């Protein structure tokens, strides 16, 4: 029970890595605010966890919209009275090569993946500063560190998340707030599982461990960075990629 009585907000919590993280945190004793844009999926996840006896609350949020994010934070404070952990997991892809990518397509991904992280963190941090402690975990990607074909917008957004993580670590460490990032590699989310088998096999070949990651692999990294075990880990980008970046 490494997160007993801790309150965590997990964005993008209704599916894939976010859903696995919610389950992992709940298993470890946390109270979780499951935040997602997809209302139907969020309500279903909330019902499922309630049936299992967990303390979880769904809040629909559009991380691009500041008022929506502020509502998420206000709702969390009203229900639980504190915020110990923020996992900025919400993100999207909209791939195309440089010459085929439209400006709106580029901006849409940056709005969710970058501006959304900014909005959520800025809204949560004052409450953490008031208590003198907190854990912020941002989701980057190996694409943001090494680039990836056809992902100009996604790679740019995830690289920028690394820059923000290191900047906030410098600013907030003296306030008692740990700020770190996780950089997942190829992970078997529902979206990836729909890819052709040949594509999946080529992805596996690039990984030293010869398998794709699971949402649980990433959730375990989130758990470590959210727990007391990582209290002296700060400004770090944890690669969870099976060795693809060696």
């Amino acid at each position: 029970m490494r997160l007993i009585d801790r309150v965590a907000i997990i964005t993008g919590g209704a599916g894939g890595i976010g859903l696995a993280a919610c389950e992992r945190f709940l298993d470890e004793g946390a109270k979780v605010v499951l935040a997602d844009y997809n209302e139907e999926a969020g309500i279903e996840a909330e019902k499922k966890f309630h049936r299992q006896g967990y303390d979880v609350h769904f809040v629909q949020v559009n991380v691009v919209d500041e008022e929506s994010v502020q509502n998420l934070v206000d709702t969390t404070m009203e229900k639980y009275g504190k915020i110990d952990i923020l996992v900025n997991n919400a993100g999207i892809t909209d791939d195309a090569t440089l010459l085929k990518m439209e400006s709106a397509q580029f901006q849409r991904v940056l709005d969710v993946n970058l501006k959304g992280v900014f909005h959520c963190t800025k809204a949560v941090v004052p409450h953490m500063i008031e208590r003198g402690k907190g854990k912020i975990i941002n989701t980057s990607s190996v694409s943001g560190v090494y680039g990836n074909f056809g992902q100009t917008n996604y790679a740019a957004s995830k690289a920028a998340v690394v820059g923000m993580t290191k900047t906030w670590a410098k600013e907030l460490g003296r306030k008692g707030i740990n700020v770190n990032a996780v950089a997942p590699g190829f992970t078997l989310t529902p979206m990836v599982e729909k890819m052709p088998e040949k594509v999946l096999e080529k992805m596996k070949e690039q990984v030293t461990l010869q398998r794709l990651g699971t949402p649980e692999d990433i959730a375990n990294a989130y758990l470590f960075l959210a727990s007391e075990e990582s209290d002296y880990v700060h400004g770090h980008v944890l690669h969870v990629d099976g060795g693809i970046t060696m």
Side-chain angles (χ1 to χ4, degrees), residues 195-204 206 212:
M195 291 182 175
E197 188 62 31
K198 288 184 179 180
V199 175
L200 294 177
E201 286 302 318
K202 286 186 179 180
M203 292 166 69
K204 288 178 187 177
Q206 299 179 55
L212 301 186

Side-chain angles (χ1 to χ4, degrees), residues 23-188:
E23 185 165 13
R24 196 74 181 90
F25 280 36
L26 291 164
D27 280 343
E28 293 288 340
K31 300 175 176 67
V32 172
V33 175
L34 188 163
D36 204 286
Y37 185 74
N38 188 329
E39 185 175 22
E40 182 179 355
I43 291 172
E44 282 303 310
E46 181 186 52
K47 288 179 179 177
K48 171 189 142 184
F49 289 133
H50 281 168
R51 287 194 296 268
Q52 296 172 353
Y54 290 126
D55 191 344
V56 61
H57 183 66
F58 168 65
V59 178
Q60 185 183 29
V61 65
N62 177 3
V63 296
V64 178
D65 182 77
E66 285 188 86
E67 289 186 10
S68 180
V69 170
Q70 191 59 54
N71 175 67
L72 165 65
V73 173
D74 291 345
T75 300
T76 303
M77 290 300 297
E78 288 169 11
K79 185 168 181 62
Y80 294 115
K82 64 173 183 173
I83 301 170
D84 298 295
I85 303 157
L86 169 65
V87 181
N88 282 309
N89 173 78
I92 62 170
T93 59
D94 193 355
D95 297 349
T97 57
L98 173 63
L99 296 180
K100 294 181 179 179
M101 184 170 290
E102 298 177 0
S103 293
Q105 190 176 4
F106 180 84
Q107 190 61 52
R108 184 162 54 250
V109 171
L110 260 69
D111 282 346
V112 175
N113 295 2
L114 183 59
K115 189 182 289 185
V117 175
F118 168 75
H119 286 162
C120 291
T121 306
K122 187 177 181 183
V124 163
V125 158
H127 299 287
M128 291 183 173
I129 290 176
E130 188 175 343
R131 298 181 65 239
K133 60 181 179 179
K135 300 268 189 168
I136 296 170
I137 302 158
N138 299 324
T139 306
S140 181
S141 168
V142 292
S143 295
V145 180
Y146 295 96
N148 197 28
F149 187 92
Q151 289 196 318
T152 294
N153 48 8
Y154 185 76
S157 69
K158 294 302 185 178
V161 166
V162 170
M164 289 201 305
T165 298
K166 292 183 177 294
T167 297
W168 295 340
K170 291 179 184 295
E171 294 179 357
L172 300 175
R174 66 194 66 192
K175 307 291 186 181
I177 301 170
N178 292 78
V179 188
N180 293 287
V182 173
F186 298 142
T187 306
L188 276 171

Side-chain angles (χ1 to χ4, degrees), residues 209-229:
L209 290 181
Q210 293 294 285
R211 74 169 177 88
L212 301 186
T214 67
E216 289 73 23
D217 289 325
I218 314 305
N220 286 334
Y222 289 166
L223 172 62
F224 168 67
L225 292 175
S227 72
E228 293 180 354
E229 295 166 5

